[in-house]
Amino acid sequence: MPAAPSSSDRGHRGRRPRAHSPSTDGLHRPAVLPPPGQGPDRRRTSARGAPWISSRPRTAYGPPLATSPTACTAEGPSRALIPTARRPRHPGRTKVTSTDTGAAGSGADSETAPPPSLWRNSDYVGWWVGNTASALGTSISAISFPLLILYTTGSVAKAGTLTAAGLVSALVTTLWGGALADRVSRKAILVIAPLVQGAALAAVAALVAADRPQLPLLVAAATVSGLAAGVASGATAPALRRIARKDQLATATAQELGRDLGAQLLGGPVGGLLFSLARWCPFGIDALSFGAASLGAALIHRPLGPEREDRVENERTTVRQDIAAGFRFVRGEPFLRFVVMWGALLNTLGQAFALLFIALVKFRGGGPTTIGLVSAVALVGGVVGSAIGPAVARSVRAKTVIRTAAWAFAGALVLVAVVPAPWEIGAVTFVAMLTMVPLNVMLQSYMVRLVPDEFSGRVSAVNRFGVQALEWTGPLLAGLLVALFGVPGGAVALLVGLVPLALALHLTRSLAVLDTPLDELSELRPAHEAG
């Protein structure tokens, strides 16, 4: 039976309390709600969020594995905001938070009125422009760092050391950044962290311009930038979820994924051109791009949270306790738990496929130019997928979308191993990327709607940490499989891991929440608020 409305729900005309059902693990599950006119409508109009598994902190020290159909480098999906009245923490007092006055308007009209274009939302436009410049800057420097090391030292191992320094340092601060985002101003984090990263890239540009690109100094800069990226990643998703309305969520998410894929598509050739003109130039451009991201965050007018009452409550706990609470939240909800574990394994296979993709094109006779062109074809598939993602999310059942994407990836592994021409490998991967982006859009949208704002930083950090903790093993797995079975055989061998993951989508009960339409979901509630 749905719980009775709280005092804050009864005290606001036109607002409807959330529907939930009790559970034994400390969380209240979203309930399927009766259609209007067929029962009490207790739906609470709110949207909460956390990024999905494919979200990565933005570091400039290593090329993105763009051809992996599961590896998207978006920092996190845009988040939805509509008016809501929170359950008061003090009896008899109703607390209306800043989320009541956000982008969605007010009352039921915001639910039924057609949403305005995201491009009419000045906060969204400013954020999108700043982060587009930043994503392009990262793609430019991502190819320039390996070129710098290879041209100055000729050592692949040293290039790998530089890449690892940025990735590992970002991983170190990911969980801490998520807890911090639920304790202090998210806007301040999003303004300051890119400035730190920009300063690190500016230092690299200065070293290269002075012809002193010593590896220890480059590794130090990579570490500083990675640490800042890990902190910023915790604030990005919970802050951006307040910029767009919940009914614009799929569109905003798809636009973000398409933006980052487009940046990868342009970044490689632009980075190579700038490096050939002046070796310091790509790093100077990336330093400026971090400044654009910082400026875009500074110009956001809406409060990005956390709310003052949440800050006061979190001050009573330590950061370590907050991180543990994030893990408990994910562990206690079957859907979140499944997505974190399933996504981590899928992304690991995706990283392995990214390396095998290059090896396959070379195995079929393709040179460096051909590899670049075929990679571009694959990326175009992701861009097209981002364009159709919102329509797919509206018209196709969620389970159908994710099952189709998983089996399309499995089919791609077989086809790329047997087709004889490089362009055919690109065409097959185009289809795989085309289906994977709607999968990202769908799962991100559901996670956004389920996770409450006061937990969004920590939960997003747990999701990201789970993915990054394993994905570094993907290239190692690819190397092992090639050594055992050859290049085509190594691609087919990935099916040993992928087929069980695809079958799990049909067998698990953890995805039951996907049977409920997005607009009928209520957010999960922590145990201490469920009474």
Side-chain angles (χ1 to χ4, degrees), residues 360-368 370-371 422:
L360 280 166
V361 176
K362 183 176 182 297
F363 183 80
R364 299 301 184 191
T370 302
I371 291 173

Side-chain angles (χ1 to χ4, degrees), residues 4 15 25 31 33 95-96 114 119 143 172 186 287 307 319 333 397 474 483 531:
R15 302 191 188 280
D25 54 15
L33 302 173
K95 171 68 175 178
V96 180
W119 304 116
I143 193 172
V172 167
R186 294 163 184 164
E307 304 303 335
V319 171
E333 166 51 37
R397 294 178 65 247

Side-chain angles (χ1 to χ4, degrees), residues 12-54:
H12 285 72
R13 295 188 62 186
R15 302 191 188 280
R16 295 169 293 181
R18 75 186 77 199
H20 59 273
S21 58
S23 68
T24 59
D25 54 15
L27 297 178
H28 276 216
R29 298 285 187 269
V32 179
L33 302 173
Q38 297 184 21
D41 187 358
R42 299 185 182 277
R43 178 176 56 191
R44 180 178 179 184
T45 56
S46 66
R48 307 298 188 190
W52 184 59
I53 53 179
S54 63

